[in-house]
């Protein structure tokens, strides 16, 4: 059983929208921090958006500068699914998108949310292709 499973990728034209979903296994539901990364061919994996859940209705969110104002990360009330709403998509958003978490500990997330090496659980990814 995969602990994290992404879906929602696809091909869209520039300016379009997509919503990615990441479903967490029962073991991962209590994970406090969830992050979306992406990796384009020939480029390093980069953090796109992160969410830290402190308690019911108390989420802190973080975004890469390149997606601020266009992407929104959220988590449903059950904690079972994390979403990435992507609007005003650009060709440079083309990449494979992954959700990831650090479990069970998520220290200093505000300073380290986009640090790839410290994540210990990853999904398989979902491809997003934005055409001109």
């Amino acid at each position: 059983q995969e602990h994290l499973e992404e879906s929602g990728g696809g091909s869209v034209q520039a300016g379009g929208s997509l919503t990615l979903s990441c479903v967490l296994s029962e073991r991962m539901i209590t994970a406090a921090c969830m992050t979306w990364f992406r990796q384009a061919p020939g480029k390093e994996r980069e953090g796109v958006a992160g969410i830290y859940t402190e308690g019911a209705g108390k989420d802190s969110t973080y975004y890469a500068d390149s997606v601020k104002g266009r992407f929104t990360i959220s988590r449903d009330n059950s904690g079972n699914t994390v979403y990435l709403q992507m609007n005003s998509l650009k060709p440079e958003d083309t990449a494979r998108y992954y959700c990831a978490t650090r479990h069970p500990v998520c220290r200093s997330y505000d300073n380290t949310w986009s640090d790839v090496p410290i994540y210990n659980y990853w999904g398989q990814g979902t491809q997003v292709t934005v055409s001109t």
Side-chain angles (χ1 to χ4, degrees):
Q1 179 192 4
E2 297 291 339
H3 291 299
L4 304 172
E5 189 166 352
E6 305 95 334
S7 64
S11 297
V12 295
Q13 289 191 320
S17 298
L18 282 173
T19 300
L20 306 183
S21 300
C22 175
V23 176
L24 284 64
S25 68
E26 203 166 319
R27 179 180 175 184
M28 294 292 117
I29 283 178
T30 57
C33 60
M34 295 297 303
T35 307
W36 284 97
F37 289 86
R38 67 185 180 187
Q39 188 166 20
K43 294 190 176 181
E44 292 187 354
R45 194 167 294 191
E46 63 175 354
V48 175
I51 187 165
Y52 184 84
T53 300
E54 298 180 58
K58 291 181 65 177
D59 291 334
S60 298
T61 57
Y62 306 87
Y63 296 94
D65 288 343
S66 59
V67 306
K68 278 180 183 175
R70 300 189 298 123
F71 290 12
T72 302
I73 188 170
S74 62
R75 190 167 184 172
D76 70 355
N77 290 335
S78 69
N80 173 254
T81 306
V82 177
Y83 302 97
L84 185 67
Q85 173 68 43
M86 305 186 295
N87 298 326
S88 302
L89 282 162
K90 304 176 181 180
E92 51 263 44
D93 294 318
T94 295
R96 192 164 185 84
Y97 285 69
Y98 300 86
C99 63
T101 188
R102 308 175 213 164
H103 188 68
V105 180
C106 200
R107 292 193 189 95
S108 302
Y109 187 69
D110 55 342
N111 292 322
T112 61
W113 71 271
S114 61
D115 291 353
V116 172
I118 58 178
Y119 282 81
N120 56 349
Y121 287 96
W122 292 85
Q124 295 297 309
T126 186
Q127 179 67 33
V128 172
T129 302
V130 185
S131 59
T132 55

